[in-house]
Amino acid sequence: MPEKRTVVVTGASRGIGRSICLSLASPDTQIYFNYFSPGNPEAEEAAAAETEKLVADLGSSAVSMSVDVADAKDVEAFFEKIVDETGRVDILVNNAGITKDGLLVRMKENDWNMVLNINLKGAFTCTRLAAKIMMKQRCGRIVNIASVVGVTGNPGQANYSASKAGLIGLTKTAAKELAARNVTVNAVAPGFIETDMTAALSEKARKAMLDQVPMRRGGQPEDVAAAVKFLASDDAAYITGQVIHVNGGMYM
Ligand code: NAP
């Protein structure tokens, strides 16, 4: 094992991504994460700086960059920087994701493309780059943040649920291709988690979602991060191609 493990988390200026960084932070990890909100760069930079600070408080170190996961060239440059600085990638968490909801018949092509490009193509680009490095290392962990709706479907989320179902397919295929090189690939599928993404829902939509949760409450980002931490740990060495659901019983 290397002295320091290099961890890459996409979309970690806030929400679940930030919690994942904190759960993986320790003196023997070097974390890199990205974020990308062209609409409000100052607020996002401040949020990214806060994630960096919280990681540093745990004795680890995090470096952030504004990189759109949908832009393959920028993602390549991000990975080049990481390899230049550390020479490796031990853990990749594909977490960056967005929603652009609307009923299928009214869904704009642009909203379909945007969600698929960020949620699915972004994960493909990062996985392909990380896989090459991990195969040479003969070890590595990849965890993809999917969603319960990638398995169940959800009215108003044709683009989002398709992207997450695709991510589960990518997870299983990559798991089969990389297993012999000691690289595991798994997915965590959250249900309803309290973040900015779900805060944007109307009270009616929120209630409708929570009514489906036997535990009668939303989950916290830390609930998802705990599953990621486990899958990235030595204890999960023989687990690959799996989807772990973190959803308070919403889907069984
Ligand atoms: P969130 O609070 O909206 O945070 C999303 C993060 O992704 C932010 O850091 C954001 O950066 C980043 N991001 C967005 N577009 C990006 C892009 N093109 N390139 C790079 N980074 C980008 O969302 P969340 O609730 O934490 O969700 C995290 C993941 O969990 C997503 O994949 C989501 O689909 C999945 N998930 C969430 C829930 C839930 O209930 N919250 C349920 C199931 C699955 P900025 O801050 O710069 O915008």
Side-chain angles (χ1 to χ4, degrees), residues 10-18 34-38 40 44-45 47 66-70 94-99 118-119 145-149 160 164 167 188-198 209 221 224:
T10 67
S13 53
R14 54 201 166 92
I16 293 170
R18 176 185 280 172
N34 66 354
Y35 58 98
F36 186 72
S37 236
N40 194 351
E44 299 315 330
E45 273 167 31
S66 175
V67 173
D68 179 1
V69 288
N94 285 308
N95 167 77
I98 62 159
T99 52
I118 292 174
N119 297 10
I145 307 303
S147 167
V148 64
V149 306
Y160 183 76
K164 296 301 186 178
L167 196 51
V188 174
F192 184 99
I193 307 296
E194 306 278 4
T195 66
D196 291 346
M197 187 179 269
T198 44
M209 290 289 279
V224 181

Side-chain angles (χ1 to χ4, degrees), residues 2-206:
E3 251 175 57
K4 268 202 179 214
R5 290 179 312 163
T6 302
V7 175
V8 182
V9 184
T10 67
S13 53
R14 54 201 166 92
I16 293 170
R18 176 185 280 172
S19 271
I20 290 169
C21 287
L22 299 183
S23 77
L24 297 174
S26 73
D28 65 355
T29 56
Q30 169 64 51
I31 297 175
Y32 289 82
F33 71 89
N34 66 354
Y35 58 98
F36 186 72
S37 236
N40 194 351
E42 272 169 30
E44 299 315 330
E45 273 167 31
E50 179 65 11
T51 301
E52 287 182 9
K53 182 190 168 299
L54 292 169
V55 167
D57 288 347
L58 295 169
S60 186
S61 165
V63 174
S64 70
M65 264 176 90
S66 175
V67 173
D68 179 1
V69 288
D71 186 329
K73 283 267 170 293
D74 283 1
V75 176
E76 268 170 39
F78 180 51
F79 274 80
E80 262 167 34
K81 174 186 163 69
I82 294 167
V83 172
D84 279 353
E85 290 181 5
T86 73
R88 45 192 311 122
V89 174
D90 296 286
I91 298 167
L92 166 68
V93 184
N94 285 308
N95 167 77
I98 62 159
T99 52
K100 287 270 171 211
D101 295 350
L103 289 175
L104 176 64
V105 290
R106 280 191 233 135
M107 185 168 284
K108 294 191 178 69
E109 187 182 345
N110 193 42
D111 288 346
W112 170 272
N113 288 340
M114 209 172 158
V115 169
L116 269 289
N117 279 337
I118 292 174
N119 297 10
L120 184 55
K121 199 196 91 181
F124 158 71
T125 305
C126 294
T127 300
R128 190 168 57 165
L129 288 162
K132 284 186 189 153
I133 300 160
M134 290 174 174
M135 284 169 82
K136 277 199 203 124
Q137 289 169 183
R138 295 200 169 261
C139 68
R141 296 292 161 86
I142 300 173
V143 183
N144 295 324
I145 307 303
S147 167
V148 64
V149 306
V151 180
T152 61
N154 196 29
Q157 293 197 307
N159 48 3
Y160 183 76
S161 56
S163 74
K164 296 301 186 178
L167 196 51
I168 291 172
L170 172 65
T171 301
K172 293 181 181 181
T173 298
K176 287 186 176 176
E177 290 189 12
L178 303 178
R181 302 292 182 106
N182 198 29
V183 176
T184 68
V185 189
N186 291 288
V188 174
F192 184 99
I193 307 296
E194 306 278 4
T195 66
D196 291 346
M197 187 179 269
T198 44
L201 292 172
S202 68
E203 201 43 50
K204 193 175 160 209
R206 190 185 157 80

